């Protein structure tokens, strides 16, 4: 089943162009995003949606965090994202009109399922599952659903499930934006073109593997790493840190780059590699000054830039240029090199990549 790949994780990373293409099949031919992709009566529910609450765990939670930036800026819909194990035990104020979106690869995660049931018990009946397994427990509990088509994900570290969740959440954002009259047909076409081009764009990022492998070799000897990002790429920094600790057992932390001087900067010295997610977006200049603060303390920088992020290689500053800048959808591309980095760091360390210690693929107990 592995073919020419050494591990399922590697295979699944490289399956992402196809997984995304399959997930986006509903928009492949047509020129519009239809609410019906979320269920027969989705138009009515989505048309009345004024608020969104996203609930998930782990990597799926990070997908939700990216979606929050999209939903608020593209669709103008306020969005809150909660960790399932917190939400289910928290005294929250329910709003029956809020659309509750649960995200789960497996559809069996105990906390996410319990949090969904908890929301329903509080009178929140507008529910949508974004899930990779059609007959799973979570999908059976929601009024609306979108099944991602990542195919079976075997590696414990989630990769293609994450990017297909992002594709689904981008479609949800566009459907809501349209129903809210926030999307001109020109913009809709632009987004659709960008979505359809994603498999090719991801393919080009995957070609950067040799350079990332070289970085991973320098990395594997480190005890700690810091991941920084801003805006919609902050959750990508979080996801990069989760991947690294999960399979290479290197202690990794992620921060919104603006938080650096509020504490974590104290950790930075020559032994602390700092990974920055640095696309050419509206926050790049802000991020660059954070990176200078790191350099001034001797921290070694590994910067994931893209076309247009004018950052120069220099002593202690390593730059990987991704070939395209991808605007709003850029988080989908920027997570790919971070997946590859942790995969290769784990290979150097000789850990059990597909079955990291202490972890299960599907967390069916709390
Ligand atoms: O199946 P789910 O998406 O509900 O799983 C949630 C988390 O357990 C999962 O994403 C976990 O964090 C991954 N192992 C991360 O790679």
């Amino acid at each position: 089943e592995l073919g020419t790949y050494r591990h399922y994780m590697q295979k699944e990373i490289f399956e992402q162009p196809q997984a995304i293409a399959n997930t986006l099949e509903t928009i492949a031919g047509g020129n519009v995003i239809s609410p019906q992709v979320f269920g027969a009566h989705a138009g009515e529910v989505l048309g009345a949606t004024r608020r969104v609450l996203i609930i998930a765990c782990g990597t799926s939670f990070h997908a939700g965090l990216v979606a929050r930036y999209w939903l608020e800026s593209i669709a103008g819909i306020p969005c809150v994202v909660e960790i399932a194990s917190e939400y289910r035990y928290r005294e929250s104020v329910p709003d029956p009109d809020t659309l509750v979106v649960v995200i789960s690869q497996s559809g069996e995660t105990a906390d996410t399922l319990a949090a969904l049931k908890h929301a329903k018990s509080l009178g929140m009946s507008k529910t949508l599952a974004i899930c990779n397994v059609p007959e799973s427990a979570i999908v059976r509990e929601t009024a609306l659903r979108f099944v991602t088509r990542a195919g079976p994900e075997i590696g414990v570290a989630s990769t293609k499930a994450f990017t297909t969740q992002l594709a689904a959440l981008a479609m949800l954002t566009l459907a809501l934006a349209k129903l809210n009259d926030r999307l001109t047909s020109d913009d809709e076409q632009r987004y659709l073109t960008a979505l359809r081009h994603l498999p090719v764009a991801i393919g080009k990022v995957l070609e950067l593997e040799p350079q990332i492998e070289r970085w991973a070799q320098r990395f594997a000897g480190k005890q700690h790493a810091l991941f920084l990002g801003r805006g919609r790429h902050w959750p990508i920094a979080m996801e990069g840190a989760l991947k690294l600790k999960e399979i290479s057992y290197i202690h990794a932390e992620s921060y919104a780059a603006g938080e650096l001087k509020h504490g974590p900067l104290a950790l930075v010295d020559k032994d602390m590699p700092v990974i920055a997610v640095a696309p050419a977006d509206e926050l790049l200049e802000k991020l660059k000054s954070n990176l200078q603060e790191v350099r001034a303390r001797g921290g070694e920088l590994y910067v994931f830039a893209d076309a247009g992020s004018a950052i120069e290689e220099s002593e202690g500053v390593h730059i990987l240029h991704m070939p395209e800048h991808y605007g709003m959808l850029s988080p989908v591309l920027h997570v790919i090199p971070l997946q590859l980095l942790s995969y290769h760091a784990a290979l150097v360390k000789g850990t059990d990549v597909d079955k990291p210690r202490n972890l299960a693929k599907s967390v069916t107990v709390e």
Side-chain angles (χ1 to χ4, degrees):
E1 253 202 49
L2 274 172
T4 55
Y5 296 105
R6 285 178 68 183
H7 297 96
Y8 283 105
M9 182 185 182
Q10 185 192 25
K11 177 170 180 267
E12 288 159 7
I13 290 172
F14 279 85
E15 278 172 353
Q16 287 178 107
Q18 193 57 53
I20 298 256
N22 293 345
T23 298
L24 293 173
E25 201 177 40
T26 50
I27 57 158
N31 284 323
V32 289
I33 299 218
S34 150
Q36 262 79 53
V37 299
F38 299 97
H41 305 292
E44 226 170 284
V45 176
L46 297 186
T49 295
R50 296 290 167 266
R51 280 178 183 280
V52 172
L53 165 64
I54 299 179
I55 303 172
C57 302
T59 288
S60 298
F61 170 69
H62 297 155
L65 289 174
V66 172
R68 177 182 183 205
Y69 288 87
W70 289 341
L71 284 164
E72 299 219 343
S73 73
I74 302 172
I77 292 188
C79 174
V80 170
V81 191
E82 292 223 29
I83 291 173
S85 57
E86 283 297 312
Y87 177 76
R88 64 180 288 199
Y89 293 121
R90 193 167 76 77
E91 274 184 47
S92 54
V93 182
D95 165 24
D97 289 329
T98 292
L99 175 69
V100 179
V101 179
V102 280
I103 308 173
S104 174
Q105 186 285 129
S106 60
E108 304 292 343
T109 301
D111 279 321
T112 310
L113 179 61
L116 168 63
K117 289 183 177 166
H118 177 66
K120 285 167 70 177
S121 77
L122 297 175
M124 306 219 266
S125 59
K126 299 178 176 180
T127 54
L128 162 67
I130 293 180
C131 192
N132 196 39
V133 181
E135 299 307 326
S136 59
I138 286 176
V139 170
R140 288 197 300 267
E141 283 286 332
T142 51
L144 304 177
R145 64 201 49 105
F146 182 94
V147 177
T148 50
R149 291 183 48 200
E153 193 183 61
I154 305 214
V156 164
S158 187
T159 52
K160 61 179 181 170
F162 179 70
T163 43
T164 53
Q165 285 165 351
L166 290 180
L169 289 160
M171 285 205 279
L172 176 66
T173 303
L174 296 177
L176 286 167
K178 206 172 162 188
L179 290 162
N180 270 312
D181 284 330
R182 294 263 306 198
L183 198 65
T184 64
S185 53
D186 277 1
D187 281 344
E188 184 180 10
Q189 288 312 315
R190 258 190 327 108
Y191 280 123
L192 284 171
T193 305
L195 280 171
R196 290 192 196 109
H197 178 67
L198 268 177
V200 173
I202 293 175
K204 287 195 215 149
V205 176
L206 289 169
E207 288 172 16
L208 302 173
E209 190 181 25
Q211 185 179 344
I212 299 167
E213 204 176 332
R214 284 194 293 279
W215 281 14
Q217 263 146 16
R218 314 178 51 152
F219 238 84
K222 303 286 181 190
Q223 303 292 320
H224 308 276
L226 201 57
F227 285 70
L228 301 177
R230 274 182 176 260
R232 59 190 178 272
H233 297 89
W234 172 31
I236 297 304
M238 294 166 115
E239 175 59 8
L242 176 60
K243 286 289 92 94
L244 191 69
K245 63 188 132 191
E246 189 176 25
I247 58 165
S248 77
Y249 315 150
I250 296 171
H251 170 226
E253 297 260 5
S254 57
Y255 277 93
E259 278 290 288
L260 203 56
K261 50 163 85 77
H262 299 284
L265 197 53
L267 290 171
V268 174
D269 64 11
K270 63 173 186 17
D271 296 321
M272 172 70 92
V274 176
I275 295 100
V277 186
D281 66 10
E282 59 287 357
L283 295 168
L284 183 62
E285 288 309 311
K286 299 275 172 209
L287 180 68
K288 277 188 188 167
S289 38
N290 303 132
L291 300 188
Q292 275 161 11
E293 290 158 8
V294 169
R295 250 338 266 155
R297 272 90 189 163
E300 196 154 359
L301 281 169
Y302 294 85
V303 182
F304 290 92
D306 62 17
S309 359
I311 309 182
E312 303 281 305
E313 286 261 349
S314 58
E315 170 81 28
V317 184
H318 314 282
I319 315 259
L320 180 126
H321 273 286
M322 300 186 14
E324 285 179 79
H325 175 65
Y326 227 73
M328 269 298 181
L329 296 173
S330 150
V332 186
L333 293 192
H334 266 275
V335 74
I336 310 274
L338 301 184
Q339 297 169 344
L340 286 169
L341 182 68
S342 54
Y343 173 69
H344 284 288
L347 276 194
V348 177
K349 293 198 71 176
T351 59
D352 189 348
V353 173
D354 285 332
K355 284 199 179 67
R357 66 187 183 198
N358 311 340
L359 298 176
K361 178 64 186 161
S362 186
V363 186
T364 52
V365 288
E366 72 169 298

